[in-house]
Amino acid sequence: AIGKKVPLRLSLAAPQAVSVAIRYALAQVGKPYVWGATGPDSYDCSGLVQRSYAMAGIALPRTSREQARVGKAVDLPDLLPGDLLFWAYDPSDLSTVHHVALYLGDGKIVQSPQPGEFVEVTTMWLSGYAGAVRVATGPATAALPPVPVGVPGTGITPVGDAMRDGSPPPPVLSPADPRPRIQHQSAA
């Protein structure tokens, strides 16, 4: 199941940690995806999430598959800004998680999608959605940053940080290079 496997260390009160993590992630918009990168100049999906929460003093595991096993599981209707959202090749099997994004509220996420793309704000989708975890909880006393409008969803799930077999995604050879993706539908 999503969440509750690895304890988290918190150094800021949860609402402040969420605000810091979201502010940091939004400040990375436009930086390139590089597999295995944890910033500050480029990120893969889990590297962006890990670094964003590290800026708030919350230590998260390195990969999306590991991150899906921490925190408290959250049902889709109960999502709050700062929750981590996961996608998998088989949503019922955590060993196939391949993508993580940070929830911003109102159906928006910030993510580092895959090779050849950039950190972006976009609309979340449900195809391949495996669940969510909350790594910081508490009353929302800290102001959250305004969420940019973002870009429309493409209808395509990014590869994230792992192919179906767990290997890294292939590099993009050219702008016309068809990258492996999964069709999805927007949740909004």
Side-chain angles (χ1 to χ4, degrees):
I2 292 271
K4 293 193 178 185
K5 302 280 190 217
V6 178
L8 298 170
R9 294 176 302 167
L10 301 175
S11 63
L12 289 177
Q16 289 78 15
V18 168
S19 181
V20 167
I22 289 175
R23 285 180 193 280
Y24 184 84
L26 290 175
Q28 308 316 301
V29 169
K31 292 186 178 179
Y33 175 104
V34 173
W35 183 80
T38 58
D41 299 321
S42 58
Y43 298 90
D44 69 5
C45 62
S46 52
L48 175 67
V49 168
Q50 182 188 44
R51 175 66 70 109
S52 296
Y53 268 105
M55 299 307 288
I58 297 177
L60 293 177
R62 173 60 194 96
T63 69
S64 60
R65 289 179 186 175
E66 295 166 329
Q67 291 172 0
R69 291 174 163 81
V70 301
K72 178 185 175 205
V74 179
D75 291 331
L76 189 62
D78 300 323
L79 291 176
L80 292 175
D83 289 345
L84 310 185
L85 281 58
F86 299 93
W87 288 265
Y89 294 109
D90 175 356
S92 66
D93 181 357
L94 281 185
S95 72
T96 70
V97 167
H98 63 90
H99 188 59
V100 60
L102 187 62
Y103 189 64
L104 300 173
D106 295 324
K108 300 284 187 210
I109 60 171
V110 59
Q111 67 172 351
S112 186
Q114 64 183 3
E117 296 185 11
F118 301 87
V119 176
E120 65 182 1
V121 171
T122 192
T123 303
M124 69 173 288
W125 60 94
L126 295 179
S127 179
Y129 178 76
V133 298
R134 186 161 298 143
V135 297
T137 59
T141 55
L144 293 173
V147 176
V149 174
V151 296
T154 61
I156 306 289
T157 297
V159 171
D161 63 4
M163 299 299 291
R164 189 174 296 274
D165 65 2
S167 65
V172 175
L173 302 175
S174 73
D177 185 33
R179 290 160 282 169
R181 289 186 164 222
I182 305 165
Q183 293 295 323
H184 68 262
Q185 298 190 5
S186 175

